[in-house]
PDB file of all heavy atoms in Angstrom:
ATOM      1  N   ASN A   1       1.783  25.929  53.477  1.00  0.00           N
ATOM      2  CA  ASN A   1       2.817  26.787  54.081  1.00  0.00           C
ATOM      3  C   ASN A   1       2.615  26.681  55.562  1.00  0.00           C
ATOM      4  O   ASN A   1       2.182  27.615  56.244  1.00  0.00           O
ATOM      5  CB  ASN A   1       2.457  28.207  53.568  1.00  0.00           C
ATOM      6  CG  ASN A   1       3.454  29.171  54.139  1.00  0.00           C
ATOM      7  OD1 ASN A   1       4.635  28.856  54.375  1.00  0.00           O
ATOM      8  ND2 ASN A   1       3.076  30.446  54.241  1.00  0.00           N
ATOM      9  N   ALA A   2       2.965  25.510  56.123  1.00  0.00           N
ATOM     10  CA  ALA A   2       2.772  25.236  57.503  1.00  0.00           C
ATOM     11  C   ALA A   2       3.425  26.201  58.423  1.00  0.00           C
ATOM     12  O   ALA A   2       4.742  26.464  58.249  1.00  0.00           O
ATOM     13  CB  ALA A   2       3.256  23.800  57.780  1.00  0.00           C
ATOM     14  N   PHE A   3       2.803  26.746  59.306  1.00  0.00           N
ATOM     15  CA  PHE A   3       3.330  27.694  60.372  1.00  0.00           C
ATOM     16  C   PHE A   3       4.079  28.854  59.717  1.00  0.00           C
ATOM     17  O   PHE A   3       5.000  29.360  60.266  1.00  0.00           O
ATOM     18  CB  PHE A   3       4.234  26.974  61.322  1.00  0.00           C
ATOM     19  CG  PHE A   3       3.496  26.477  62.569  1.00  0.00           C
ATOM     20  CD1 PHE A   3       3.216  25.145  62.689  1.00  0.00           C
ATOM     21  CD2 PHE A   3       3.088  27.403  63.519  1.00  0.00           C
ATOM     22  CE1 PHE A   3       2.495  24.738  63.812  1.00  0.00           C
ATOM     23  CE2 PHE A   3       2.504  26.986  64.804  1.00  0.00           C
ATOM     24  CZ  PHE A   3       2.121  25.593  64.791  1.00  0.00           C
ATOM     25  N   GLY A   4       3.576  29.158  58.495  1.00  0.00           N
ATOM     26  CA  GLY A   4       4.146  30.354  57.912  1.00  0.00           C
ATOM     27  C   GLY A   4       5.468  30.158  57.426  1.00  0.00           C
ATOM     28  O   GLY A   4       6.381  31.127  57.447  1.00  0.00           O
ATOM     29  N   GLY A   5       5.867  28.891  57.089  1.00  0.00           N
ATOM     30  CA  GLY A   5       7.277  28.588  56.630  1.00  0.00           C
ATOM     31  C   GLY A   5       8.174  28.229  57.570  1.00  0.00           C
ATOM     32  O   GLY A   5       9.398  28.026  57.281  1.00  0.00           O
ATOM     33  N   SER A   6       7.860  28.205  58.894  1.00  0.00           N
ATOM     34  CA  SER A   6       8.798  27.769  59.899  1.00  0.00           C
ATOM     35  C   SER A   6       8.121  27.087  60.993  1.00  0.00           C
ATOM     36  O   SER A   6       6.937  27.143  61.234  1.00  0.00           O
ATOM     37  CB  SER A   6       9.494  29.025  60.503  1.00  0.00           C
ATOM     38  OG  SER A   6       8.495  29.902  61.101  1.00  0.00           O
ATOM     39  N   PHE A   7       8.919  26.241  61.767  1.00  0.00           N
ATOM     40  CA  PHE A   7       8.324  25.479  62.867  1.00  0.00           C
ATOM     41  C   PHE A   7       8.619  26.325  64.188  1.00  0.00           C
ATOM     42  O   PHE A   7       9.593  27.028  64.226  1.00  0.00           O
ATOM     43  CB  PHE A   7       8.985  24.124  63.079  1.00  0.00           C
ATOM     44  CG  PHE A   7       8.068  23.217  63.842  1.00  0.00           C
ATOM     45  CD1 PHE A   7       7.033  22.650  63.188  1.00  0.00           C
ATOM     46  CD2 PHE A   7       8.266  23.022  65.107  1.00  0.00           C
ATOM     47  CE1 PHE A   7       6.145  21.789  63.801  1.00  0.00           C
ATOM     48  CE2 PHE A   7       7.439  22.073  65.805  1.00  0.00           C
ATOM     49  CZ  PHE A   7       6.393  21.552  65.217  1.00  0.00           C
ATOM     50  N   PRO A   8       7.605  26.488  65.052  1.00  0.00           N
ATOM     51  CA  PRO A   8       7.707  27.441  66.173  1.00  0.00           C
ATOM     52  C   PRO A   8       8.895  27.106  67.061  1.00  0.00           C
ATOM     53  O   PRO A   8       9.274  25.913  67.325  1.00  0.00           O
ATOM     54  CB  PRO A   8       6.418  27.150  66.926  1.00  0.00           C
ATOM     55  CG  PRO A   8       5.907  25.799  66.462  1.00  0.00           C
ATOM     56  CD  PRO A   8       6.413  25.716  64.988  1.00  0.00           C
ATOM     57  N   ARG A   9       9.600  28.121  67.562  1.00  0.00           N
ATOM     58  CA  ARG A   9      10.620  27.957  68.542  1.00  0.00           C
ATOM     59  C   ARG A   9       9.985  27.459  69.865  1.00  0.00           C
ATOM     60  O   ARG A   9       9.106  28.152  70.394  1.00  0.00           O
ATOM     61  CB  ARG A   9      11.351  29.338  68.672  1.00  0.00           C
ATOM     62  CG  ARG A   9      12.055  29.700  67.440  1.00  0.00           C
ATOM     63  CD  ARG A   9      13.048  30.820  67.842  1.00  0.00           C
ATOM     64  NE  ARG A   9      12.291  32.016  68.356  1.00  0.00           N
ATOM     65  CZ  ARG A   9      11.754  32.990  67.545  1.00  0.00           C
ATOM     66  NH1 ARG A   9      11.868  32.904  66.257  1.00  0.00           N
ATOM     67  NH2 ARG A   9      11.182  34.052  68.090  1.00  0.00           N
ATOM     68  N   ARG A  10      10.464  26.362  70.357  1.00  0.00           N
ATOM     69  CA  ARG A  10       9.703  25.801  71.394  1.00  0.00           C
ATOM     70  C   ARG A  10       9.702  26.691  72.733  1.00  0.00           C
ATOM     71  O   ARG A  10       8.813  26.573  73.554  1.00  0.00           O
ATOM     72  CB  ARG A  10      10.313  24.364  71.741  1.00  0.00           C
ATOM     73  CG  ARG A  10       9.929  23.418  70.694  1.00  0.00           C
ATOM     74  CD  ARG A  10      10.320  22.024  71.064  1.00  0.00           C
ATOM     75  NE  ARG A  10      11.742  21.794  70.876  1.00  0.00           N
ATOM     76  CZ  ARG A  10      12.452  20.800  71.371  1.00  0.00           C
ATOM     77  NH1 ARG A  10      11.812  19.890  72.115  1.00  0.00           N
ATOM     78  NH2 ARG A  10      13.718  20.637  71.070  1.00  0.00           N
ATOM     79  N   GLU A  11      10.821  27.490  72.853  1.00  0.00           N
ATOM     80  CA  GLU A  11      10.913  28.246  74.158  1.00  0.00           C
ATOM     81  C   GLU A  11       9.903  29.471  74.097  1.00  0.00           C
ATOM     82  O   GLU A  11       9.721  30.113  75.201  1.00  0.00           O
ATOM     83  CB  GLU A  11      12.334  28.668  74.346  1.00  0.00           C
ATOM     84  CG  GLU A  11      12.718  29.760  73.352  1.00  0.00           C
ATOM     85  CD  GLU A  11      13.244  29.253  72.021  1.00  0.00           C
ATOM     86  OE1 GLU A  11      13.144  28.104  71.816  1.00  0.00           O
ATOM     87  OE2 GLU A  11      13.790  30.085  71.247  1.00  0.00           O
ATOM     88  N   SER A  12       9.350  29.861  73.057  1.00  0.00           N
ATOM     89  CA  SER A  12       8.598  31.108  72.966  1.00  0.00           C
ATOM     90  C   SER A  12       7.074  30.921  72.744  1.00  0.00           C
ATOM     91  O   SER A  12       6.711  30.615  71.715  1.00  0.00           O
ATOM     92  CB  SER A  12       9.219  31.950  71.794  1.00  0.00           C
ATOM     93  OG  SER A  12       8.421  33.101  71.624  1.00  0.00           O
ATOM     94  N   ILE A  13       6.372  31.135  73.788  1.00  0.00           N
ATOM     95  CA  ILE A  13       4.945  30.987  73.666  1.00  0.00           C
ATOM     96  C   ILE A  13       4.381  32.198  72.790  1.00  0.00           C
ATOM     97  O   ILE A  13       3.388  31.992  72.079  1.00  0.00           O
ATOM     98  CB  ILE A  13       4.230  31.002  74.991  1.00  0.00           C
ATOM     99  CG1 ILE A  13       2.777  30.509  74.885  1.00  0.00           C
ATOM    100  CG2 ILE A  13       4.272  32.340  75.763  1.00  0.00           C
ATOM    101  CD1 ILE A  13       2.131  29.865  76.038  1.00  0.00           C
ATOM    102  N   ASP A  14       5.035  33.331  72.822  1.00  0.00           N
ATOM    103  CA  ASP A  14       4.567  34.445  71.975  1.00  0.00           C
ATOM    104  C   ASP A  14       4.719  34.121  70.534  1.00  0.00           C
ATOM    105  O   ASP A  14       3.860  34.426  69.666  1.00  0.00           O
ATOM    106  CB  ASP A  14       5.448  35.731  72.176  1.00  0.00           C
ATOM    107  CG  ASP A  14       5.167  36.332  73.626  1.00  0.00           C
ATOM    108  OD1 ASP A  14       3.963  36.037  74.050  1.00  0.00           O
ATOM    109  OD2 ASP A  14       5.939  36.926  74.176  1.00  0.00           O
ATOM    110  N   PHE A  15       5.801  33.377  70.123  1.00  0.00           N
ATOM    111  CA  PHE A  15       5.936  32.921  68.766  1.00  0.00           C
ATOM    112  C   PHE A  15       4.881  31.982  68.392  1.00  0.00           C
ATOM    113  O   PHE A  15       4.294  31.976  67.249  1.00  0.00           O
ATOM    114  CB  PHE A  15       7.349  32.256  68.580  1.00  0.00           C
ATOM    115  CG  PHE A  15       7.767  31.947  67.124  1.00  0.00           C
ATOM    116  CD1 PHE A  15       8.241  32.993  66.300  1.00  0.00           C
ATOM    117  CD2 PHE A  15       7.545  30.684  66.687  1.00  0.00           C
ATOM    118  CE1 PHE A  15       8.550  32.585  64.975  1.00  0.00           C
ATOM    119  CE2 PHE A  15       7.950  30.362  65.414  1.00  0.00           C
ATOM    120  CZ  PHE A  15       8.452  31.281  64.531  1.00  0.00           C
ATOM    121  N   VAL A  16       4.577  31.016  69.303  1.00  0.00           N
ATOM    122  CA  VAL A  16       3.557  30.078  69.045  1.00  0.00           C
ATOM    123  C   VAL A  16       2.184  30.745  68.839  1.00  0.00           C
ATOM    124  O   VAL A  16       1.432  30.455  67.940  1.00  0.00           O
ATOM    125  CB  VAL A  16       3.453  29.021  70.231  1.00  0.00           C
ATOM    126  CG1 VAL A  16       2.228  28.138  70.025  1.00  0.00           C
ATOM    127  CG2 VAL A  16       4.731  28.167  70.301  1.00  0.00           C
ATOM    128  N   ARG A  17       1.928  31.719  69.718  1.00  0.00           N
ATOM    129  CA  ARG A  17       0.645  32.537  69.652  1.00  0.00           C
ATOM    130  C   ARG A  17       0.538  33.169  68.239  1.00  0.00           C
ATOM    131  O   ARG A  17      -0.492  33.111  67.598  1.00  0.00           O
ATOM    132  CB  ARG A  17       0.575  33.485  70.742  1.00  0.00           C
ATOM    133  CG  ARG A  17      -0.729  34.303  70.777  1.00  0.00           C
ATOM    134  CD  ARG A  17      -0.831  35.237  71.912  1.00  0.00           C
ATOM    135  NE  ARG A  17      -0.758  34.574  73.192  1.00  0.00           N
ATOM    136  CZ  ARG A  17       0.211  34.502  73.963  1.00  0.00           C
ATOM    137  NH1 ARG A  17       1.360  35.093  73.761  1.00  0.00           N
ATOM    138  NH2 ARG A  17       0.132  33.871  75.158  1.00  0.00           N
ATOM    139  N   GLU A  18       1.557  33.802  67.774  1.00  0.00           N
ATOM    140  CA  GLU A  18       1.596  34.396  66.443  1.00  0.00           C
ATOM    141  C   GLU A  18       1.309  33.520  65.376  1.00  0.00           C
ATOM    142  O   GLU A  18       0.562  33.735  64.443  1.00  0.00           O
ATOM    143  CB  GLU A  18       2.982  35.044  66.222  1.00  0.00           C
ATOM    144  CG  GLU A  18       3.199  35.684  64.945  1.00  0.00           C
ATOM    145  CD  GLU A  18       4.654  36.128  64.699  1.00  0.00           C
ATOM    146  OE1 GLU A  18       5.311  36.433  65.655  1.00  0.00           O
ATOM    147  OE2 GLU A  18       5.062  36.127  63.482  1.00  0.00           O
ATOM    148  N   LYS A  19       1.939  32.191  65.454  1.00  0.00           N
ATOM    149  CA  LYS A  19       1.758  31.250  64.337  1.00  0.00           C
ATOM    150  C   LYS A  19       0.428  30.609  64.433  1.00  0.00           C
ATOM    151  O   LYS A  19      -0.181  30.267  63.415  1.00  0.00           O
ATOM    152  CB  LYS A  19       2.895  30.204  64.447  1.00  0.00           C
ATOM    153  CG  LYS A  19       4.256  30.858  64.130  1.00  0.00           C
ATOM    154  CD  LYS A  19       4.243  31.577  62.778  1.00  0.00           C
ATOM    155  CE  LYS A  19       5.602  32.156  62.516  1.00  0.00           C
ATOM    156  NZ  LYS A  19       5.582  33.002  61.255  1.00  0.00           N
ATOM    157  N   VAL A  20      -0.205  30.439  65.604  1.00  0.00           N
ATOM    158  CA  VAL A  20      -1.580  29.921  65.680  1.00  0.00           C
ATOM    159  C   VAL A  20      -2.530  30.945  65.150  1.00  0.00           C
ATOM    160  O   VAL A  20      -3.361  30.592  64.425  1.00  0.00           O
ATOM    161  CB  VAL A  20      -1.865  29.481  67.172  1.00  0.00           C
ATOM    162  CG1 VAL A  20      -3.308  29.059  67.209  1.00  0.00           C
ATOM    163  CG2 VAL A  20      -0.981  28.397  67.685  1.00  0.00           C
ATOM    164  N   GLN A  21      -2.321  32.186  65.443  1.00  0.00           N
ATOM    165  CA  GLN A  21      -3.159  33.231  64.891  1.00  0.00           C
ATOM    166  C   GLN A  21      -3.036  33.269  63.386  1.00  0.00           C
ATOM    167  O   GLN A  21      -4.081  33.669  62.708  1.00  0.00           O
ATOM    168  CB  GLN A  21      -2.768  34.628  65.509  1.00  0.00           C
ATOM    169  CG  GLN A  21      -3.100  34.743  66.966  1.00  0.00           C
ATOM    170  CD  GLN A  21      -2.575  36.009  67.602  1.00  0.00           C
ATOM    171  OE1 GLN A  21      -1.745  36.722  67.079  1.00  0.00           O
ATOM    172  NE2 GLN A  21      -3.121  36.338  68.788  1.00  0.00           N
ATOM    173  N   TYR A  22      -1.908  32.892  62.845  1.00  0.00           N
ATOM    174  CA  TYR A  22      -1.748  32.980  61.389  1.00  0.00           C
ATOM    175  C   TYR A  22      -2.655  31.949  60.794  1.00  0.00           C
ATOM    176  O   TYR A  22      -3.010  32.118  59.496  1.00  0.00           O
ATOM    177  CB  TYR A  22      -0.229  32.564  61.134  1.00  0.00           C
ATOM    178  CG  TYR A  22       0.272  32.513  59.779  1.00  0.00           C
ATOM    179  CD1 TYR A  22       0.732  33.608  59.207  1.00  0.00           C
ATOM    180  CD2 TYR A  22       0.209  31.408  59.011  1.00  0.00           C
ATOM    181  CE1 TYR A  22       1.245  33.634  57.894  1.00  0.00           C
ATOM    182  CE2 TYR A  22       0.746  31.295  57.740  1.00  0.00           C
ATOM    183  CZ  TYR A  22       1.261  32.545  57.156  1.00  0.00           C
ATOM    184  OH  TYR A  22       1.776  32.340  55.924  1.00  0.00           O
ATOM    185  N   THR A  23      -3.169  31.003  61.401  1.00  0.00           N
ATOM    186  CA  THR A  23      -4.061  29.980  60.874  1.00  0.00           C
ATOM    187  C   THR A  23      -5.385  30.630  60.519  1.00  0.00           C
ATOM    188  O   THR A  23      -6.010  30.160  59.511  1.00  0.00           O
ATOM    189  CB  THR A  23      -4.348  28.824  61.898  1.00  0.00           C
ATOM    190  OG1 THR A  23      -3.001  28.329  62.315  1.00  0.00           O
ATOM    191  CG2 THR A  23      -5.148  27.731  61.325  1.00  0.00           C
ATOM    192  N   PHE A  24      -5.766  31.763  61.230  1.00  0.00           N
ATOM    193  CA  PHE A  24      -7.132  32.271  60.954  1.00  0.00           C
ATOM    194  C   PHE A  24      -7.077  33.651  60.358  1.00  0.00           C
ATOM    195  O   PHE A  24      -6.015  34.361  60.491  1.00  0.00           O
ATOM    196  CB  PHE A  24      -7.814  32.362  62.358  1.00  0.00           C
ATOM    197  CG  PHE A  24      -7.852  31.037  63.019  1.00  0.00           C
ATOM    198  CD1 PHE A  24      -6.990  30.732  64.088  1.00  0.00           C
ATOM    199  CD2 PHE A  24      -8.809  30.055  62.718  1.00  0.00           C
ATOM    200  CE1 PHE A  24      -7.003  29.454  64.744  1.00  0.00           C
ATOM    201  CE2 PHE A  24      -8.875  28.840  63.286  1.00  0.00           C
ATOM    202  CZ  PHE A  24      -7.903  28.634  64.379  1.00  0.00           C
ATOM    203  N   TYR A  25      -8.147  34.072  59.787  1.00  0.00           N
ATOM    204  CA  TYR A  25      -8.336  35.396  59.345  1.00  0.00           C
ATOM    205  C   TYR A  25      -8.397  36.347  60.467  1.00  0.00           C
ATOM    206  O   TYR A  25      -7.811  37.374  60.624  1.00  0.00           O
ATOM    207  CB  TYR A  25      -9.512  35.573  58.355  1.00  0.00           C
ATOM    208  CG  TYR A  25      -9.802  37.028  57.974  1.00  0.00           C
ATOM    209  CD1 TYR A  25      -9.105  37.582  56.937  1.00  0.00           C
ATOM    210  CD2 TYR A  25     -10.756  37.832  58.617  1.00  0.00           C
ATOM    211  CE1 TYR A  25      -9.311  38.946  56.587  1.00  0.00           C
ATOM    212  CE2 TYR A  25     -11.039  39.048  58.303  1.00  0.00           C
ATOM    213  CZ  TYR A  25     -10.396  39.622  57.288  1.00  0.00           C
ATOM    214  OH  TYR A  25     -10.566  40.934  56.935  1.00  0.00           O
ATOM    215  N   ASP A  26      -9.250  36.015  61.423  1.00  0.00           N
ATOM    216  CA  ASP A  26      -9.414  36.776  62.679  1.00  0.00           C
ATOM    217  C   ASP A  26      -8.633  36.191  63.777  1.00  0.00           C
ATOM    218  O   ASP A  26      -9.010  35.089  64.243  1.00  0.00           O
ATOM    219  CB  ASP A  26     -10.922  36.743  63.098  1.00  0.00           C
ATOM    220  CG  ASP A  26     -11.290  37.641  64.251  1.00  0.00           C
ATOM    221  OD1 ASP A  26     -10.268  38.129  64.862  1.00  0.00           O
ATOM    222  OD2 ASP A  26     -12.396  37.850  64.552  1.00  0.00           O
TER     223      ASP A  26
END
């Protein structure tokens, strides 16, 4: 389930941060 089912919107670092955090429990 890569990146939570979606690829990150390139313009949004907040979206990227959310999806990178999704990789981890903490």
Side-chain angles (χ1 to χ4, degrees):
N1 181 25
F3 269 101
S6 61
F7 203 77
R9 295 192 299 274
R10 286 188 283 166
E11 71 277 6
S12 172
I13 194 158
D14 290 334
F15 187 81
V16 174
R17 184 177 293 107
E18 176 189 332
K19 294 307 179 183
V20 175
Q21 290 174 347
Y22 182 87
T23 304
F24 305 102
Y25 173 81
D26 184 352

